[in-house]
Amino acid sequence: MHVHCHYIGGMAPMNYLKAAEAGASIIDTAVVALAFGNSQPAGEMIVAALKESPYDTGLDLDLLFEIAEYWEAVRKKKKLKRGVTSLMHMEVFSHQVPGGMLSNLVSQLELQKAKDRLPDVLEEIPRVRAEVGYPPLVTPLSQIVGTQAVINVLTGKRWAVVPQEMKDYLKGLYGRAPGPMDTAIVEKVLGDEPQLDPDVRPGSLVETTYAQVEEEIGDLARSEEDVLMYALFPNEARNYLTLHQEGAEKAVFLMSEEYDTVKEEEPVDVNQIRELIKIVEMSDVSEVVVEEAGAKVIVRKGVAGADVAPAAASAAPAAPAEDAPQDVAVRDSGERPATWKSIVAPMVGTFYRSPSPTADAFVAVGDSVGEGDALCILEAMKLMNEIVAEEAGVIREVCLADAEPVEYGTVMFYYEPNA
């Protein structure tokens, strides 16, 4: 038996003692320099507690402290915070959020520039969990429940935006829920879509084969792991594997062959700069700043030495042909017809026009859409969130390129409601 606990509420050491008494052979701990808080209990603490008992580990505490001194120096150098159990952590007995999930929530809210909403999210999580049948808050269900709570809080509209993963859970594709679900929530989210018969094993419905996925990703995949990554996260995996093929990961993650040229005491290496330039050129990122050991490197996308003519002297752009709407972004601040309405991003994320890299876009300029029709996917907080039309109308402008990062409130589409 292998037991894994986070220190968050302070009960982990007691759980480990009872686990040892129950026959557990492995328990997870952390070196004291990086223990406590959302992390695991300190290994030194557990070793000392079990000393001279039937469960004595036999580990040398003096050697453990010697190791801890090394990691304490690393912690200080990297400016990592020491694990501390706060009042919010102790409230786990109320908000039910385990340590690993809590640290993810904080990161998600920081990304959304809404860290101040954490108390609201912690209050929302037990409510969401109850509505969907009390799933255990472990991966992946902790992420699904937590993200739904974040979306509910940030949008101010409960269950208005629902990630595909939550829809799949409500359908029964993650297995049977431990408790009863709120029928009103299920009906609101799924509509006419049926739930899976409890006697049907979700895995039996999978039709996609490894060979199909392998053929789709092609030469970008160099291993079974690459193919499986693409099967699970098609959009992100294709982008990553494209960079991987270019060798960018060698600069970012410092693979072993780079160790000869990049020493720990050296702030930066020319190969790293070269690869950073390659990353910027291949992406929508306009600037990357790297600071290490007092050195600062800025890689900025631009055209060196280009002559920029005054705006007044520039030639007028060619007018598009009539009745031929262009499916491109219009990024100026010019006025649009008063009848047009905007659809904005409800959160920070990545905009995707299609459900998968090889599929057609959900909508294009000139398309008619009905209430509830899918418009795009907004990947946020590791989940794919389908954004739907709130009313019927005609798409007049697509404002973003595929796989483009968006901030909260960014206009994604303009549409004209039906008269």
Side-chain angles (χ1 to χ4, degrees):
M1 185 187 301
H2 185 159
V3 182
H4 177 96
C5 290
H6 291 258
Y7 190 81
I8 179 169
M11 288 190 174
M14 290 180 279
N15 288 336
Y16 280 169
L17 176 59
K18 302 308 290 185
E21 292 174 352
S25 55
I26 303 172
I27 54 177
D28 289 343
T29 63
V31 64
V32 65
L34 303 173
F36 307 118
N38 289 333
S39 184
Q40 280 72 49
E44 298 83 354
M45 170 197 295
I46 303 301
V47 169
L50 297 178
K51 201 170 183 62
E52 298 181 3
S53 77
Y55 316 107
D56 194 325
T57 65
L59 297 175
D60 188 325
L61 267 176
D62 292 332
L63 289 178
L64 289 177
F65 285 127
E66 185 177 331
I67 294 170
E69 288 175 2
Y70 168 82
W71 286 108
E72 176 68 6
V74 171
R75 184 192 68 78
K76 291 179 178 178
K77 181 178 179 181
K78 298 293 184 180
K79 298 181 180 179
L80 300 174
K81 295 180 180 178
R82 189 183 299 280
V84 176
T85 295
S86 65
L87 175 60
M88 180 182 66
H89 290 133
M90 293 304 295
E91 289 173 343
V92 64
F93 309 113
S94 173
H95 56 61
Q96 306 170 14
V97 179
M101 181 179 174
L102 186 60
S103 57
N104 282 340
L105 281 176
V106 172
S107 298
Q108 290 171 354
L109 289 171
E110 287 177 344
L111 181 65
Q112 300 293 330
K113 299 178 176 62
K115 189 176 178 181
D116 60 310
R117 303 301 302 277
L118 181 59
D120 298 327
V121 173
L122 293 178
E123 185 178 336
E124 177 71 4
I125 285 174
R127 186 178 177 188
V128 171
R129 189 183 181 209
E131 290 170 333
V132 298
Y134 294 98
L137 294 182
V138 294
T139 303
L141 294 176
S142 59
Q143 182 70 19
I144 295 172
V145 171
T147 299
Q148 187 63 61
V150 170
I151 293 172
N152 288 353
V153 169
L154 295 186
T155 62
K157 300 177 181 178
R158 300 193 74 250
W159 297 99
V161 177
V162 181
Q164 184 60 46
E165 291 82 354
M166 176 58 84
K167 293 180 181 178
D168 289 343
Y169 168 75
L170 294 178
K171 289 177 185 176
L173 298 181
Y174 284 84
R176 188 185 307 176
M181 296 185 181
D182 187 315
T183 54
I185 297 296
V186 173
E187 183 177 344
K188 179 177 181 178
V189 173
L190 298 184
D192 296 331
E193 296 184 65
Q195 288 181 291
L196 187 66
D197 188 300
D199 295 328
V200 176
R201 187 176 66 87
S204 66
L205 304 178
V206 177
E207 297 179 351
T208 305
T209 66
Y210 179 91
Q212 290 173 327
V213 177
E214 185 179 32
E215 181 180 0
E216 189 174 300
I217 188 60
D219 294 338
L220 285 177
R222 299 180 181 179
S223 65
E224 289 184 354
E225 287 79 5
D226 289 349
V227 176
L228 294 174
M229 178 171 61
Y230 176 73
L232 291 170
F233 311 103
N235 292 306
E236 297 88 341
R238 183 176 289 276
N239 292 337
Y240 168 77
L241 291 173
T242 299
L243 288 174
H244 179 89
Q245 192 176 45
E246 293 292 323
E249 80 288 346
K250 293 181 181 179
V252 177
F253 297 109
L254 297 181
M255 305 301 280
S256 58
E257 58 264 36
E258 301 253 338
Y259 287 166
D260 292 336
T261 56
V262 183
K263 307 299 182 184
E264 185 173 344
E265 66 271 16
E266 295 177 355
V268 74
D269 177 74
V270 67
N271 291 326
Q272 287 181 279
I273 298 175
R274 186 179 296 114
E275 293 299 343
L276 284 171
I277 293 172
K278 188 181 297 183
I279 293 172
V280 172
E281 288 177 342
M282 293 180 63
S283 70
D284 293 326
V285 176
S286 60
E287 180 177 299
V288 172
V289 180
V290 178
E291 293 188 57
E292 185 177 356
K296 183 174 183 179
V297 176
I298 301 176
V299 179
R300 183 179 295 116
K301 185 180 292 185
V303 182
D307 293 328
V308 182
S314 60
E322 288 189 17
D323 302 323
Q326 295 187 357
D327 193 15
V328 296
V330 177
R331 300 181 184 275
D332 58 45
S333 57
E335 294 185 2
R336 294 170 176 83
T339 54
W340 289 17
K341 291 185 177 181
S342 63
I343 298 172
V344 302
M347 64 196 84
V348 177
T350 304
F351 172 87
Y352 292 108
R353 294 194 59 186
S354 60
S356 68
T358 58
D360 294 333
F362 286 107
V363 295
V365 171
D367 284 355
S368 295
V369 295
E371 181 182 351
D373 286 354
L375 303 175
C376 67
I377 285 177
L378 192 60
E379 188 275 323
M381 297 170 285
K382 303 179 184 177
L383 298 183
M384 310 304 280
N385 305 283
E386 197 173 81
I387 306 300
V388 301
E390 295 188 355
E391 60 180 336
V394 178
I395 300 298
R396 294 304 185 195
E397 186 179 321
V398 180
C399 302
L400 298 168
D402 192 49
E404 184 170 346
V406 298
E407 295 292 327
Y408 170 79
T410 299
V411 177
M412 301 185 294
F413 301 94
Y414 283 100
Y415 73 102
E416 188 171 14
N418 291 343

